[in-house]
Structures are given as structure tokens and as C-alpha cells.
Amino acid sequence: MLFPVYAQAKESAKKTTALSNYKQTGTGILLYTADNDDSFPLAFGTDGATGQARWNFWHRVPAGWQANGIHNVEPRRSEDAQMWAASTIPYLKSLEIASQTGVSKYRLATDYTLATTATASVGMSMNGMLHGWGVTAVNQPSKLPLLWAGMFKQNMDGFAITSPQLWCTAAGPCRFNPSGSPVAGGPTDYGYVWWGFANGFTTWVYGRGMHFVATDTSAKFRNINAPEWSTAKVMTNDHAWSAFEDGRGGAGVPYWMTDCVQPGGTKNGTIFYPGFFRPDSEFNYTEVQCDIGNG
């Protein structure tokens, strides 16, 4: 009879430690901003040859750990080093602090025997809408996520990717744009959510929820519950999703991350960004402002 109680206590301890890690990571990032013109770190690097943001790339953390003749040499090494999980290491002072406590480690299909230094364990994602964004340009600092469990229920060994991302499919500066494309000359699209996990794809990292840390470094565990996709509704004022799978994907598997137009706007069919992650969010969205994925 003691085994369930012991298991619950162990899970609670992991959850508490993870929350502390989130708080420390958020604090480290804010220290970074103080040395970088009060701007958040870059959520992804830039391809120096093309001028296009590497918005949908795995970045090695730390940069250059793998001696494969491509990623450990310039300019790619420096390009990977631009990404938040690598650029903030001097402020975090740990390669494990951005991991999810007690959660399994996942390795990509690459040669880890070529490692020349220790790899980081990354379970968090930075809010990609904050890519180079000004700290003082956030409407609700105590609510807007800075970090969240964007790797879901797994830690990535030596790699990090940002989600949600800015969809910067053309060359040029890549920044959140409340009413237009995040890159000049780019398509009229928006933020992009990265779902590419075969393992550990659930919002239920601890119990029935996951951790978030806001841009003011306040850390919080959120229970994640949403209806099945056929009855989706706006949940964006409380968490990112408007719908879960209808049982086909397993417990806590999200179906739709709610996309919303800028505060006060109405759907125009073109410019949406993930509402819960928009720097201009007032967290009072209605359905006329959001695409909730139920057709």
C-alpha cells in the first residue's frame, strides 16, 4: 500500500526540482538581457551565407560539441552559438539546468562518439516570439511565457529547437510583427509550432501538466486540460491549446495550439501567431480573434 504513496512523493520531488530549474534558467536569461541592450536572446541563429534565420533547425548545445567537420567549424559554430540555449550558458553556469528533472533523455540520429565536450540536456524551449524582442515591449510580463516544456516529456541530448517559432522563410531580419510577416518580403504567415516528436509527445510532463516561466521570471506549474478537437474552444488565456487529440494519440497529446490575431483585432485569415506566446497579448482573447482548429 505504500508504493503508490512513495511514487507520488517521488514525482512531486521531481516536479519541485524542475520548477526550481525553470526559475533559475529564467533568471539567467534576464541577467543576459541586462548585458545585451535589454533584449531577449535569439531563439535561433542566422545562416550567414543566405541571411535567412535558422528558425526550424536543431542547434547544437553547446555550439561545436560534435567534431563532424561541419558544425564544429566556422561559420556554423558561431551561428549555432547565437541560439538562446547556447548563448546563455555563461549565465546559466550549467549544461543540465535547462533539462526536465527525472525525464528521459532523447538522442537524435547523429554520431555522439564524435563529441569533443560534454553535451547539454535541454528540455525547455524559449518562446520564439521573443526572438531578439525588447524586455520592456512585453504587455504582460507576469503572464507571457519566456520558457516552457517545449520538448514535451523528454530532454534532448546536445540539441535544442525553438517552439513556437517565427516563420521566417526569406532572408532578412526576423522579428515578431503584430500585424504582418515576421520578415520583410516573406509570406503572410505567422508563428510556427514544432510538433516533430515521435517520443514523449505529451503536455503531461508531471502529473497532468507542465512548467512555464514568465518573462518576469515567475515560475508556475499549469494543469493542461482541453476538450477533444471536435469541440475545441479558446483556452489561450490559460494555456496554449484549444484542443487535445480525441484519445488516438494518448494522454495529454495536444491537437491544436491556438493562433490569434493582435489584441483588439478580428480574424483576417492571414496573420496569426500563437496567442499564448504573443508579446502583445493581454490574455483576454475571444473566439473572434482566434483560430481554434475545429474547422
Side-chain angles (χ1 to χ4, degrees), residues 6 20 28 38 57 62 79-80 89 97-98 125 127 137 153 168 170 191 211 228 237 240 255:
Y6 175 75
S20 176
D38 289 326
F57 276 64
E79 292 167 3
D80 274 355
I89 287 175
I97 197 68
S125 175
N127 174 3
K153 197 170 184 176
C168 294
H211 295 310
E228 296 179 1
N237 303 318
Y255 176 80

Side-chain angles (χ1 to χ4, degrees), residues 27-112:
T27 300
I29 290 177
L30 262 289
L31 292 174
Y32 170 96
T33 67
D35 291 338
N36 289 272
D37 298 322
D38 289 326
S39 296
F40 290 106
L42 302 182
F44 26 79
T46 299
D47 185 333
T50 66
Q52 184 174 336
R54 297 187 185 277
W55 59 278
N56 197 27
F57 276 64
W58 286 105
H59 293 67
R60 282 160 174 75
V61 186
W65 65 258
Q66 189 178 36
N68 62 0
I70 299 173
H71 295 89
N72 68 323
V73 298
E74 298 297 348
R76 186 58 183 271
R77 181 177 183 131
S78 293
E79 292 167 3
D80 274 355
Q82 296 171 0
M83 197 256 196
W84 78 270
S87 66
T88 60
I89 287 175
Y91 298 85
L92 304 180
K93 302 185 184 302
S94 170
L95 293 178
E96 299 291 323
I97 197 68
S99 66
Q100 311 250 41
T101 308
V103 172
S104 62
K105 188 176 289 188
Y106 182 73
R107 287 188 159 190
L108 297 182
T110 191
D111 191 348
Y112 284 86

Side-chain angles (χ1 to χ4, degrees), residues 228-233 242-243 255-256 267 287 290-295:
E228 296 179 1
W229 71 269
S230 58
T231 55
K233 61 181 180 180
S242 56
Y255 176 80
W256 192 267
K267 297 179 187 178
E287 290 196 15
C290 299
D291 180 5
I292 57 176
N294 65 350

Side-chain angles (χ1 to χ4, degrees), residues 6-253:
Y6 175 75
Q8 291 175 9
K10 190 174 181 180
E11 182 73 4
S12 179
K14 294 176 183 177
K15 177 179 171 182
T16 300
T17 301
L19 188 64
S20 176
N21 285 350
Y22 270 82
K23 175 71 174 178
Q24 292 182 62
T25 305
T27 300
I29 290 177
L30 262 289
L31 292 174
Y32 170 96
T33 67
D35 291 338
N36 289 272
D37 298 322
D38 289 326
S39 296
F40 290 106
L42 302 182
F44 26 79
T46 299
D47 185 333
T50 66
Q52 184 174 336
R54 297 187 185 277
W55 59 278
N56 197 27
F57 276 64
W58 286 105
H59 293 67
R60 282 160 174 75
V61 186
W65 65 258
Q66 189 178 36
N68 62 0
I70 299 173
H71 295 89
N72 68 323
V73 298
E74 298 297 348
R76 186 58 183 271
R77 181 177 183 131
S78 293
E79 292 167 3
D80 274 355
Q82 296 171 0
M83 197 256 196
W84 78 270
S87 66
T88 60
I89 287 175
Y91 298 85
L92 304 180
K93 302 185 184 302
S94 170
L95 293 178
E96 299 291 323
I97 197 68
S99 66
Q100 311 250 41
T101 308
V103 172
S104 62
K105 188 176 289 188
Y106 182 73
R107 287 188 159 190
L108 297 182
T110 191
D111 191 348
Y112 284 86
T113 66
L114 297 177
T116 61
T117 185
T119 56
S121 179
V122 184
M124 304 177 194
S125 175
M126 177 182 158
N127 174 3
M129 306 300 102
L130 294 174
H131 174 75
W133 196 251
V135 173
T136 59
V138 172
N139 278 359
Q140 297 286 337
S142 64
K143 294 183 179 180
L144 182 72
L146 169 59
L147 298 164
W148 67 293
M151 301 298 100
F152 297 95
K153 197 170 184 176
Q154 59 192 347
N155 295 310
M156 306 308 299
D157 187 4
F159 290 90
I161 196 168
T162 298
S163 181
Q165 308 158 336
L166 294 171
W167 198 342
C168 294
T169 55
C174 175
R175 291 292 185 274
F176 171 71
N177 180 354
S179 59
S181 171
V183 60
T188 53
D189 35 44
Y190 46 93
Y192 176 84
V193 183
W194 192 82
W195 297 120
F197 286 115
N199 301 303
F201 184 45
T202 175
T203 61
W204 293 355
V205 180
Y206 300 101
R208 294 196 172 197
M210 58 169 59
H211 295 310
F212 293 81
V213 62
T215 59
D216 68 349
T217 75
S218 57
K220 182 177 182 180
F221 175 82
R222 291 182 180 272
N223 287 307
I224 307 294
N225 293 293
E228 296 179 1
W229 71 269
S230 58
T231 55
K233 61 181 180 180
V234 172
M235 307 287 286
T236 305
N237 303 318
D238 300 310
H239 62 67
W241 295 276
S242 56
F244 277 10
E245 288 277 14
D246 57 356
R248 295 170 296 177
V253 174

